[in-house]
Amino acid sequence: MIEKVTARAFANIALVKYWGKQPGFNNVPATPSISLALESLKTITEVERIRSGKDSFFLNGSIVSKVIYRRLVEYLDFWRNNKLIDGKFIIRSHNNFPTGAGLASSSSGFAALTVALSAFSRRKISKHQLSRFARRGSGSAARSIVGGLSALPIGADPAARLLLSGDEVPWGMVVIEVEGRTKKIGSREGMELCRRYSPYYRQWITLANKDYRKMLSALRRLDFSRVGEVAEANALAMHACMFASRPALVYWSPATIEIINSVWQWRVDGLETYFTIDAGSNVVLLCKQEDLKEAIRRASRLKNVRSAIKSLPGGPAEIIELS
Ligand code: PMV
């Protein structure tokens, strides 16, 4: 009988954002999304089954907060209630990047946990089903199960599907971590704020569906310029929806705006790169692989930039050790 499993997953950054949930309890996105998994943003999760005691969780060596604990127990209960697993677990998760800083740590976190839990199940679970399960923990995690460039459609109980595997994607990203992070409101809470209080929420949902179709078509042609344009506009529209919410939801810091302006200037100067921004102040650039070095050089020189990390496309979530 398996006692301990270690799994690895890569975080992903969306080019068309998931922002908003459908009513109900199954964590079903209200917008379809498309993302790229990044090999430089990695979570390794070790899951150990215990005979007695209660579930416990450690993130980067420390006990997790009450809020995260509840969310994780809820997720394990979902597996237990569906008779997929039984028993209690000790979960130790390590991220090699900042957690909860708008860098999609929940995507790789829940994907690694999901794949690890599947090893304890007596049932054979397809990747499609695993993606659905991961989605219950975190919408973006559904896409990290698949890795590469993947799409998560809307629907009753959606799963992500692979559009292009990591090695078929000729692009990469630069993850720019900035100084002066503003107070973090988690994506769940942020989405709910927008749904309830943003006058632009409905328009955002309509627009996100259009951007999804535009992105699929641009990706089929591997049209980098079009992909970048749609990604940038989509991220700005999502943030506009947040800004307009009453109370307003503003994740940006001055450095975020400085990078946006710089990227626009770099394009004028001939470096073709596009930005996207998740629920945080950090900025992620989409680049052709041959331009990654230059983009990092320029980003590192900007004021208030803490780090600029080169990120090539990553693969699917996988089990790396069983004992
Ligand atoms: O998966 P969640 O619940 O952390 O939400 C992800 C939200 C964004 O990162 C802003 C967008 C996305 O599609 O990843």
Side-chain angles (χ1 to χ4, degrees), residues 23-91:
F25 300 102
N26 300 340
N27 207 32
V28 179
T31 66
S33 56
I34 296 175
S35 65
L36 181 63
L38 299 179
E39 66 165 16
S40 63
L41 306 183
K42 190 168 60 181
T43 299
I44 305 270
T45 300
E46 184 192 281
V47 178
E48 187 182 346
R49 193 187 346 224
I50 48 173
R51 303 205 180 281
S52 57
K54 60 181 194 114
D55 297 320
S56 47
F57 302 95
F58 299 87
L59 182 57
N60 296 331
S62 307
I63 290 181
V64 297
S65 69
K66 270 195 190 138
V67 177
I68 298 183
Y69 182 82
R70 267 200 297 275
R71 191 164 162 195
L72 287 163
V73 170
E74 207 177 282
Y75 188 59
L76 290 184
D77 284 344
F78 163 76
W79 281 74
R80 286 187 282 244
N81 294 340
N82 283 284
K83 309 260 178 292
L84 294 160
I85 54 170
D86 48 32
K88 302 281 176 182
F89 297 87
I90 301 177
I91 294 163

Side-chain angles (χ1 to χ4, degrees), residues 101-149:
L103 282 181
S105 53
S106 62
S107 65
S108 48
F110 275 100
L113 176 58
T114 302
V115 169
L117 289 177
S118 70
F120 290 97
S121 176
R122 268 175 248 118
R123 271 200 245 160
K124 174 114 186 68
I125 309 173
S126 69
K127 194 168 243 183
H128 195 71
Q129 193 64 341
L130 278 183
S131 173
R132 281 192 177 130
F133 291 166
R135 194 203 70 231
R136 300 216 174 213
S138 159
S140 55
R143 302 183 311 236
S144 278
I145 293 287
V146 175
L149 252 173

Side-chain angles (χ1 to χ4, degrees), residues 14 17-19 21 33 106 138-140 143 187 191 238 278-279:
K17 307 289 186 194
Y18 147 50
W19 192 256
K21 295 179 195 298
S33 56
S106 62
S138 159
S140 55
R143 302 183 311 236
S187 51
M191 287 180 200
M238 177 184 76
D278 276 348

